[in-house]
Amino acid sequence: MIHKDKERIIVAEFHKKIKEAFEVFDHESNNTVDVREIGTIIRSLGCCPTEGELHDLIAEVEEEEPTGYIRFEKFLPVMTEILLERRYRPIPEDVLLRAFEVLDSAKRGFLTKDELIKYMTEEGEPFSQEEMEEMLSAAIDPESNSIHYKDYITMMVIDEN
Amino acid sequence: VPCSSSSLAVSLKAALIIQNWYRGYKARLKARQHYALTIFQSIEYADEQGQMQLSTFFSFMFENYAHVHKEELELRKQSLESEQDMRDRHDYVDLIDVPDSYNGPRLQFPLTCTDIDLLLEAFKEQQILHAHYVLEVLFETKKVLKQMPNFTHVQTSPSKELTICGDLHGKLDDLFMIFYKNGLPSENNPYVFNGDFVDRGKNSIEILMILCVSFLVYPNDLHLNRGNHEDFMMNLSSYFQLHGKRILQILEELYAWLPIGTIVDNEILVIHGGISETTDLNLLHHVERNKMKSVLIPPTETNRDYDTDSKHNKVGVTFNAHGRIKTNGSPIEHLPKHEWEQIIDILWSDPRGKNGCFPNTGRGGGCYFGPDVTSKILNKYQLKMLIRSHECKPEGYEICHDGKVVTIFSASNYYEEGSNRGAYIKLCSGTAPRFFQYQVTKATCFQPLRQRVYTMESSAIKILKERVISRKSDLTRAFQLQDHRKSGKLSLSQWAFCMENILGLNLPWRSLSSNLVNIDKNGNVEYMSSFQNIHIEKPVQEAHSTLVETLYRYRSDLEIIFNAIDTDHSGLISVEEFRAMWKLFSAHYNVLIDDSQVNKLANLMDLNKDGSIDFNEFLKAFYVVHRYEDLMKPGVTNLG
């Protein structure tokens, strides 16, 4: 019984949190958001789905005949489940560091700009040109034309807190 | 070197991890940007609403205050005829001479395009236009505007496209940018400026001058629509006070003579705010628009009676720019209520996705109109599209209601450096509207996204905190009511509930909480930390904190009221006037401050002990200090 009450409170809190995040993107105040913002909303709630996972989620919350808009009524239960199940947890700092180290096979402590571009635009779920430019603008040290990933990660982590 | 499939898989996975992480980071940055915009917008509209509420206070005040100026009222009644619309050049322009030592631009009347160039060059050099010319331009503009109809009808063609610009709000750099990208106004390059040229930004006068001079040179090709900020009461702040009462006097009339809207190619309606389900374009074509003085001076009920029964010698009362309480022996000074409301709807409404027409609770004036209202009104008048402004959009423009409503906003970086783009539209009959965006930036190249977001976010949080501190007493009471165990802590939900209710701002409190309060490891909020690192500076040590808080909270309302009362624009009001006004104010706004407190404060503020208070100094003495920052400039927030 106690468990059920507690869960109800937790769910109620999640609902409010999800509603807040959703409303910020609901420009016309009619309980819908542009489907292109769904990724941003889900990520702003602390989850980190891959592009593939995001694609599947969108399919789940879309209308049978996609309208380009996602309704809150469809989004809420799906997002609540995600939060309850703690799905798509964010990448811990050390895992991120190890990922860079894997790409830095020579263990120099940095990746050159070209190497970064190659990995990010050719492997995994490739970046768009815009995404690549954005990441470069903050990550690349202009003098050495490389990314010192340990410092970069530290800076990003400070940003997020 | 052989590349094993497992190492390939590993590097693939590594790339994926980094991409995934980066996309998450970027999305959270974007969300923070949106949160900041939401904060700016909520506070802006709440402030507008606060100002709108002043109108009810003014009505209340007239009834109770008028007797103080009884003799003045009598005198005014007698001189009414001679004053009415008899304002001559002599009253304005010729009273001020331009000294030989003046190095600024000198305009030659009648104006030509040379004067436009002259003015633009001068303002680029940050020169100031002499008051004589300012007044002359405004005076001449008013004269020409009077001849314009309520709606200007414009035709476009491939060789004569029309450019439509939205709110500029005193941001001169944006106007320069538009002229740079799109060319100066001329017979072949017509423009519509869709209201809100002034207020908030620091170059309102300069923008007004450029637009008015361009209008005088090309009256058939430079079209000005009235916005809700082209309202002398909304401008009754110290900014315009600096420019003298004569400018305010002319502006009062000039604004009222600005056309209500533009109709392009008989199919596109261009107005500042929006429409309502009762919008009647035929009526609006015929109203006496110059009688719509201010949104803060609503028509009194007596006006309607007067129209039907001329025997009654009812007297309405109104303010004008010199703050004099004027009596109106005649009915011609006021619009009937339903006409006044029609204009308010045009100047204040916002489109929303929900069908129907609802009161615009965000701003306190006009309505929210849905796609069904748009269709109904456009169909009724055989129009295809509504172009409006009034709302800041991140991309400078936004299309809604199935392509039928376009919002165009031309003040980039409106809330803060990096907050939004500006845009303008080019129209040509037979082709789709084309949108052009820009963003004025001080830096030579864009800062990285995270820097821009950080700037915006800090700014937004700062002004939000100022709101919070101005309601400290009410918030503390609300927190304590919820804190049954007197632990000093509340759940996030309880804290959010209190903040939303007391501040009246619909914001994502849970998402913002980490920026505003301390949260312990159990996720509970130490609610008194809402007030840390910020306090209101007391103008005098003896002032009680609740009084200080109240005065800080109502600072901008009080500024308007004081300026309105200040009958000779001296910047001074008598201690007696202060006391009388405060009594009314506290009664109307239900402010529970001891009269003796206020009296004490008034006496303390009477620095020269001569019975008068310099109210601008008085108001500037209340300002917020952010602990980890330099002292803020008094009375100034980031909203300009």
Side-chain angles (χ1 to χ4, degrees):
Chain A
M1 268 308 157
I2 299 171
H3 268 301
K4 264 225 152 117
D5 274 344
K6 201 164 184 204
E7 172 156 333
R8 232 176 336 117
I9 294 177
I10 292 176
V11 167
E13 259 311 290
F14 280 163
H15 281 183
K16 293 209 186 94
K17 212 171 153 192
I18 296 167
K19 185 161 194 280
E20 269 188 4
F22 192 89
E23 275 178 354
V24 166
F25 291 89
D26 176 13
H27 302 300
E28 293 197 26
S29 306
N30 59 351
N31 292 325
T32 67
V33 300
D34 191 317
V35 64
R36 291 166 292 186
E37 315 261 45
I38 286 291
T40 309
I41 297 174
I42 295 177
R43 286 168 172 140
S44 76
L45 288 163
C47 302
C48 274
T50 64
E51 291 290 281
E53 287 163 337
L54 189 59
H55 195 253
D56 294 338
L57 278 172
I58 290 178
E60 245 188 279
V61 294
E62 247 174 354
E63 306 295 317
E64 271 115 45
E65 303 253 352
T67 59
Y69 288 96
I70 305 297
R71 284 187 299 125
F72 182 66
E73 299 85 53
K74 287 205 100 171
F75 181 71
L76 182 65
V78 173
M79 194 64 224
T80 310
E81 270 310 297
I82 293 173
L83 289 180
L84 276 172
E85 292 173 12
R86 297 171 65 80
R87 259 193 272 159
Y88 315 126
R89 295 272 81 209
I91 316 283
E93 202 180 320
D94 56 336
V95 171
L96 185 59
L97 181 60
R98 255 184 289 144
F100 275 104
E101 284 171 347
V102 161
L103 299 181
D104 177 20
S105 47
K107 306 282 171 261
R108 299 155 296 178
F110 64 86
L111 290 173
T112 68
K113 180 174 166 187
D114 289 335
E115 283 170 344
L116 185 66
I117 293 177
K118 177 164 138 326
Y119 285 124
M120 294 294 105
T121 59
E122 291 178 18
E123 304 205 10
E125 290 172 331
F127 273 171
S128 67
Q129 190 182 358
E130 197 198 327
E131 284 172 318
M132 194 68 250
E133 277 166 14
E134 284 252 4
M135 184 178 185
L136 288 173
S137 72
I140 293 289
D141 165 28
E143 283 184 24
S144 60
N145 230 17
S146 61
I147 165 175
H148 294 264
Y149 45 82
K150 204 151 186 223
D151 294 335
Y152 175 62
I153 292 173
T154 312
M155 180 176 77
M156 293 288 118
V157 165
I158 291 176
D159 246 10
E160 293 251 69
N161 295 331
Chain B
V1 170
C3 204
S4 73
S5 64
S6 72
S7 78
L8 205 65
V10 165
S11 80
L12 211 93
K13 190 164 184 233
L16 192 61
I17 287 173
I18 297 171
Q19 288 156 345
N20 185 353
W21 164 82
Y22 183 77
R23 285 181 170 123
Y25 166 76
K26 194 174 156 211
R28 283 185 291 279
L29 267 187
K30 199 168 167 208
R32 281 163 65 190
Q33 193 176 35
H34 271 81
Y35 291 150
L37 275 172
T38 305
I39 292 174
F40 284 128
Q41 214 156 47
S42 298
I43 292 185
E44 179 186 15
Y45 297 166
D47 277 347
E48 278 185 354
Q49 214 189 112
Q51 280 194 316
M52 295 287 269
Q53 281 163 13
L54 265 182
S55 67
T56 40
F57 174 70
F58 280 135
S59 313
F60 175 74
M61 201 164 87
F62 299 147
E63 291 160 35
N64 298 286
Y65 192 73
H67 69 276
V68 174
H69 287 267
K70 200 171 178 200
E71 291 96 59
E72 204 170 290
L73 286 180
E74 292 302 320
L75 281 169
R76 298 299 295 164
K77 240 196 263 185
Q78 284 161 21
S79 63
L80 189 64
E81 293 85 52
S82 56
E83 178 166 290
Q84 197 181 56
D85 215 37
M86 280 294 110
R87 299 237 178 76
D88 220 19
R89 276 187 71 95
H90 304 304
D91 286 346
Y92 294 108
V93 185
D94 296 340
L95 285 176
I96 305 181
D97 279 329
V98 186
D100 289 332
S101 56
Y102 170 67
N103 280 328
R106 288 170 186 266
L107 301 174
Q108 294 258 43
F109 286 79
L111 299 170
T112 63
C113 55
T114 317
D115 295 290
I116 302 179
D117 292 329
L118 193 66
L119 218 51
L120 287 170
E121 282 314 305
F123 288 154
K124 282 192 183 127
E125 306 283 315
Q126 300 189 343
Q127 289 175 0
I128 295 182
L129 186 65
H130 195 275
H132 172 98
Y133 294 117
V134 174
L135 289 168
E136 194 163 8
V137 167
L138 293 177
F139 184 76
E140 292 297 320
T141 303
K142 186 195 90 173
K143 259 171 53 181
V144 179
L145 281 176
K146 270 170 101 158
Q147 294 153 31
M148 298 283 168
N150 290 349
F151 287 87
T152 318
H153 289 257
V154 179
Q155 306 296 325
T156 64
S157 69
S159 58
K160 194 169 171 174
E161 289 186 304
L162 179 66
T163 305
I164 309 208
C165 300
D167 296 25
L168 284 169
H169 278 302
K171 301 187 99 258
L172 190 56
D173 285 340
D174 288 285
L175 186 57
F176 285 154
M177 174 68 91
I178 294 170
F179 285 164
Y180 174 74
K181 281 173 73 96
N182 195 52
L184 294 181
S186 71
E187 293 101 346
N188 290 323
N189 196 18
Y191 277 85
V192 174
F193 285 92
N194 200 16
D196 280 10
F197 328 121
V198 299
D199 238 5
R200 300 200 199 284
K202 49 188 186 67
N203 296 114
S204 293
I205 286 278
E206 285 81 3
I207 293 212
L208 209 51
M209 283 298 103
I210 294 172
L211 293 182
C212 287
V213 166
S214 304
F215 170 72
L216 288 171
V217 177
Y218 301 109
N220 298 318
D221 296 300
L222 192 309
H223 310 285
L224 301 170
N225 292 342
R226 192 176 186 182
N228 61 309
H229 281 263
E230 274 76 49
D231 182 320
F232 80 97
M233 293 289 260
M234 302 280 273
N235 291 165
L236 261 185
S237 68
S238 39
Y239 177 80
F240 271 107
Q241 284 302 108
L242 287 176
H243 293 85
K245 68 170 178 173
R246 283 194 201 88
I247 290 196
L248 267 176
Q249 282 170 0
I250 304 198
L251 280 178
E252 177 193 347
E253 293 170 40
L254 187 151
Y255 286 156
W257 277 113
L258 284 168
I260 296 172
T262 310
I263 298 180
V264 185
D265 296 328
N266 292 325
E267 56 182 26
I268 300 180
L269 177 63
V270 186
I271 46 178
H272 178 74
I275 51 179
S276 80
E277 60 191 354
T278 54
T279 291
D280 183 345
L281 282 185
N282 292 324
L283 181 147
L284 283 166
H285 264 82
H286 297 112
V287 297
E288 292 178 86
R289 71 180 189 269
N290 62 306
K291 290 187 184 166
M292 169 59 187
K293 295 294 187 193
S294 166
V295 68
L296 294 181
I297 305 179
T300 57
E301 288 304 319
T302 53
N303 294 325
R304 263 192 303 167
D305 295 333
Y306 204 101
D307 284 332
T308 55
D309 186 351
S310 57
K311 276 197 193 150
H312 284 241
N313 211 356
K314 286 213 164 101
V315 168
V317 167
T318 184
F319 272 152
N320 63 12
H322 14 220
R324 289 221 164 91
I325 299 174
K326 207 162 76 171
T327 60
N328 306 299
S330 61
I332 63 174
E333 286 298 317
H334 280 290
L335 279 179
K337 187 157 184 251
H338 69 286
E339 290 183 5
W340 187 85
E341 277 167 2
Q342 286 270 336
I343 299 185
I344 295 283
D345 285 341
I346 296 289
L347 299 180
W348 285 79
S349 299
D350 294 310
R352 286 293 178 266
K354 202 163 129 181
N355 274 336
C357 192
F358 308 93
N360 191 322
T361 47
R363 299 189 195 259
C367 66
Y368 291 130
F369 62 98
D372 55 335
V373 175
T374 299
S375 296
K376 176 177 153 200
I377 300 291
L378 289 182
N379 288 338
K380 186 171 171 191
Y381 299 103
Q382 284 120 39
L383 298 166
K384 290 218 181 107
M385 189 190 287
L386 171 64
I387 296 181
R388 44 88 64 175
S389 304
H390 198 38
E391 284 182 293
C392 176
K393 298 293 177 190
E395 292 300 316
Y397 73 95
E398 193 173 272
I399 305 177
C400 65
H401 291 192
D402 222 8
K404 298 208 185 98
V405 175
V406 173
T407 301
I408 188 78
F409 193 84
S410 301
S412 68
N413 304 326
Y414 178 55
Y415 292 120
E416 178 55 78
E417 182 80 15
S419 65
N420 63 290
R421 291 193 162 107
Y424 56 87
I425 307 175
K426 291 199 79 95
L427 291 179
C428 174
S429 65
T431 59
R434 294 180 300 148
F435 296 87
F436 294 82
Q437 296 166 297
Y438 53 86
Q439 195 159 9
V440 170
T441 177
K442 292 199 265 265
T444 48
C445 63
F446 263 129
Q447 293 179 317
L449 180 65
R450 55 180 282 271
Q451 192 56 42
R452 282 182 278 143
V453 171
Y454 180 72
T455 305
M456 258 184 76
E457 192 181 53
S458 318
S459 198
I461 296 294
K462 198 160 131 179
I463 59 172
L464 186 52
K465 277 187 154 160
E466 285 167 18
R467 267 301 129 119
V468 169
I469 198 76
S470 79
R471 304 298 303 270
K472 182 173 173 182
S473 309
D474 291 336
L475 278 168
T476 307
R477 218 174 305 134
F479 291 149
Q480 286 168 345
L481 262 170
Q482 299 259 338
D483 182 12
H484 304 299
R485 279 175 293 162
K486 310 270 171 265
S487 59
K489 298 195 187 183
L490 290 176
S491 72
L492 190 55
S493 202
Q494 288 171 308
W495 174 82
F497 175 80
C498 294
M499 295 295 271
E500 172 128 356
N501 268 329
I502 300 292
L503 294 176
L505 295 171
N506 181 15
L507 292 175
W509 294 106
R510 286 162 188 78
S511 312
L512 294 171
S513 57
S514 56
N515 288 315
L516 296 170
V517 275
N518 293 340
I519 302 181
D520 70 14
K521 50 183 164 58
N522 296 322
N524 290 320
V525 172
E526 293 162 16
Y527 53 80
M528 289 310 281
S529 67
S530 310
F531 313 114
Q532 69 189 357
N533 300 328
I534 180 170
H535 70 274
I536 303 173
E537 195 63 31
K538 285 187 186 179
V540 282
Q541 272 312 104
E542 296 87 342
H544 197 266
S545 356
T546 326
L547 173 61
V548 169
E549 191 184 300
T550 308
L551 286 169
Y552 175 75
R553 178 179 160 197
Y554 288 108
R555 204 162 85 261
S556 46
D557 292 339
L558 288 171
E559 192 169 32
I560 295 183
I561 295 171
F562 285 146
N563 277 307
I565 294 177
D566 179 20
T567 53
D568 57 3
H569 270 20
S570 56
L572 301 170
I573 55 173
S574 73
V575 174
E576 212 183 85
E577 281 174 317
F578 174 77
R579 281 210 198 95
M581 195 284 315
W582 180 263
K583 259 189 129 70
L584 292 170
F585 186 83
S586 57
H588 183 78
Y589 280 86
N590 258 321
V591 170
L592 303 165
I593 300 274
D594 210 84
D595 277 355
S596 62
Q597 285 276 341
V598 181
N599 288 332
K600 216 163 53 164
L601 186 66
N603 286 323
L604 286 167
M605 295 309 290
D606 176 11
L607 297 166
N608 300 327
K609 299 289 171 248
D610 62 354
S612 66
I613 302 171
D614 181 333
F615 58 81
N616 283 313
E617 287 307 309
F618 174 75
L619 289 173
K620 282 189 187 140
F622 295 90
Y623 58 92
V624 166
V625 177
H626 294 265
R627 188 160 142 212
Y628 296 115
E629 283 219 351
D630 296 328
L631 276 180
M632 270 185 62
K633 257 170 54 178
V636 172
T637 70
N638 280 313
L639 284 178

